[in-house]
Amino acid sequence: QVQLVQSGGGSVQAGESMRLSCAASVGSIYSTYCLAWFRQNPGKEREGVGSIDSNGATTYVESVKGRFTISKDNATNTLYLQMSSLKPEDTGTYYCAADPWTKCGGPYLRRANFGYWGQGTQVTVSS
């Protein structure tokens, strides 16, 4: 059973940076699975932020391009989300996700395509 354990998060001011981490309990999945970050606010759909495929290719939604960077360390099975120039609209609960079967990126960045999820971590950006 794959478990994803997230760390990081908290409260920052607009313009500041923050890094989230997501560690997997099972080795090697980060070198083969599609990995992604999502975020959600109360009463809203969980939306994809970006993804990274087995080869390390990344995609991002337009609202975070140039500010967020997804990376992974296959040796330690850790996924990262580096967020810079944070805005109040980036506030939300962030989730890491993984799946061995889905295609990665673009139209495949949907909640229904991912079978494994982290526990979520709150990010609050104040103006």
Side-chain angles (χ1 to χ4, degrees):
Q1 179 73 9
V2 175
Q3 289 185 320
L4 304 177
V5 179
Q6 296 179 225
S7 59
S11 298
V12 295
Q13 296 288 320
E16 294 184 341
S17 299
M18 179 184 292
R19 188 176 78 164
L20 305 181
S21 300
C22 175
S25 62
V26 176
S28 80
I29 73 165
Y30 279 8
S31 62
T32 58
Y33 283 33
C34 175
L35 310 171
W37 288 96
F38 287 74
R39 64 187 179 190
Q40 188 172 22
N41 282 295
K44 294 190 176 181
E45 295 289 324
R46 189 171 298 185
E47 63 171 355
V49 172
S51 63
I52 184 167
D53 69 13
S54 58
N55 295 317
T58 54
T59 61
Y60 303 93
V61 294
E62 196 62 37
S63 61
V64 307
K65 280 183 181 177
R67 301 188 299 118
F68 288 15
T69 301
I70 296 174
S71 62
K72 61 177 179 171
D73 184 335
N74 292 341
T76 61
N77 296 314
T78 306
L79 174 71
Y80 300 101
L81 177 65
Q82 178 67 48
M83 303 181 288
S84 302
S85 301
L86 281 161
K87 303 176 181 180
E89 51 263 44
D90 295 317
T91 294
T93 301
Y94 282 70
Y95 298 88
C96 60
D99 196 274
W101 304 114
T102 185
K103 294 183 180 180
C104 219
Y108 306 103
L109 188 60
R110 297 170 56 236
R111 180 177 183 173
N113 288 347
F114 289 83
Y116 301 104
W117 292 88
Q119 79 276 19
T121 186
Q122 178 67 31
V123 173
T124 302
V125 184
S126 56
S127 57

